[in-house]
Amino acid sequence: EAQVTQNPRYLITVTGKKLTVTCSQNMNHEYMSWYRQDPGLGLRQIYYSMNVEVTDKGDVPEGYKVSRKEKRNFPLILESPSPNQTSLYFCASNHRGGFRNSPLHFGNGTRLTVT
Amino acid sequence: GENVEQHPSTLSVQEGDSAVIKCTYSDSASNYFPWYKQELGKGPQLIIDIRSNVGEKKDQRIAVTLNKTAKHFSLHITETQPEDSAVYFCAASKAKTSYDKVIFGPGTSLSVIP
């Protein structure tokens, strides 16, 4: 089954304790990205990756890091989490090629609480 | 940059009635407008999309209309059912061969009352 898998689904942590949220896709998609969803703000892009070893900042990258060492994996790293990073996070991927890029496929989300 | 507004933020309808969600965008170069449905505990999923060379598109009970001149597009759901209850996001992008950024609206929480 084609899917984007995020782990963990729920995470409660304390300020300053480094954490990683994993994301993996099995569709051989070139493009992957991370979004955060906050009430009234919709989905805002944190980072994206066009392909292996190619990453770039989205709209709200402060406090986050990413890496793309393999095509299927795109982990999100919070080196020193703060309470304002409490949010619902989504990983997404799609195929890029030609004019008609494929729709974004989203994971089921990771709800992060930083106390 | 592109900005997408979406109204209403919440919408309640009786089962069987129609629901309409409206979005506006700011960048006249945007040419691809997808709609995503997010059910509770899940990620958004594409339900319909429209490109700028088309004014209307239908898929069973859902339809999307696009007015390029006014820079607005709408989602119409007819004969609503309880399973239509979800959060709906509109989005806009400039689809091209290189990276195209998808900008999402803030979302509409739709409740269909049985």
Side-chain angles (χ1 to χ4, degrees):
Chain A
E1 179 189 354
Q3 59 185 5
V4 177
T5 303
Q6 292 179 230
N7 280 296
R9 289 296 307 275
Y10 301 92
L11 181 56
I12 301 174
T13 190
V14 296
T15 298
K17 186 176 181 180
K18 181 180 178 179
L19 66 91
T20 299
V21 183
T22 64
C23 174
S24 180
Q25 50 92 7
N26 62 1
M27 295 166 280
N28 201 35
H29 285 163
E30 299 82 11
Y31 175 85
M32 298 184 74
S33 63
W34 277 101
Y35 293 85
R36 61 178 288 173
Q37 182 180 356
D38 301 289
L41 298 177
L43 294 154
R44 295 180 293 167
Q45 191 180 59
I46 302 169
Y47 267 93
Y48 66 94
S49 169
M50 295 292 286
N51 215 322
V52 176
E53 302 291 2
V54 181
T55 64
D56 207 346
K57 297 177 181 178
D59 296 316
V60 288
E62 295 77 20
Y64 305 94
K65 284 177 57 178
V66 293
S67 69
R68 188 90 180 275
K69 293 184 171 60
E70 305 165 285
K71 196 172 186 179
R72 63 182 295 128
N73 296 324
F74 190 45
L76 179 69
I77 303 156
L78 284 72
E79 294 270 4
S80 183
S82 62
N84 64 10
Q85 292 178 299
T86 293
S87 187
L88 180 59
Y89 291 86
F90 288 100
C91 180
S93 72
N94 75 339
H95 171 65
R96 296 274 161 154
F99 181 77
R100 294 179 181 275
N101 295 328
S102 68
L104 287 169
H105 292 255
F106 285 87
N108 281 332
T110 295
R111 185 165 292 282
L112 172 65
T113 302
V114 184
T115 60
Chain B
E2 174 68 280
N3 180 54
V4 178
E5 297 185 354
Q6 183 173 348
H7 299 279
S9 58
T10 60
L11 179 61
S12 290
V13 299
Q14 290 291 137
E15 182 177 357
D17 288 349
S18 296
V20 180
I21 302 171
K22 298 182 179 182
C23 290
T24 60
Y25 61 99
S26 60
D27 189 343
S28 57
S30 290
N31 58 9
Y32 174 63
F33 307 93
W35 286 87
Y36 287 83
K37 175 184 181 183
Q38 183 182 18
E39 297 177 343
L40 196 62
K42 295 187 177 181
Q45 187 170 18
L46 180 78
I47 54 171
I48 195 168
D49 56 12
I50 190 167
R51 299 185 186 272
S52 59
N53 58 348
V54 175
E56 183 176 0
K57 184 177 179 181
K58 290 184 72 173
D59 183 3
Q60 299 181 3
R61 294 187 299 107
I62 60 173
V64 58
T65 59
L66 171 65
N67 183 327
K68 284 182 62 180
T69 304
K71 290 189 282 188
H72 64 71
F73 55 114
S74 301
L75 178 72
H76 304 254
I77 306 174
T78 59
E79 301 172 21
T80 54
Q81 301 169 2
E83 51 264 39
D84 294 329
S85 296
V87 177
Y88 291 81
F89 293 99
C90 62
S93 75
K94 290 175 278 192
K96 52 190 177 184
T97 55
S98 59
Y99 168 64
D100 61 78
K101 189 173 183 177
V102 180
I103 305 296
F104 289 88
T108 295
S109 179
L110 172 64
S111 298
V112 179
I113 305 164

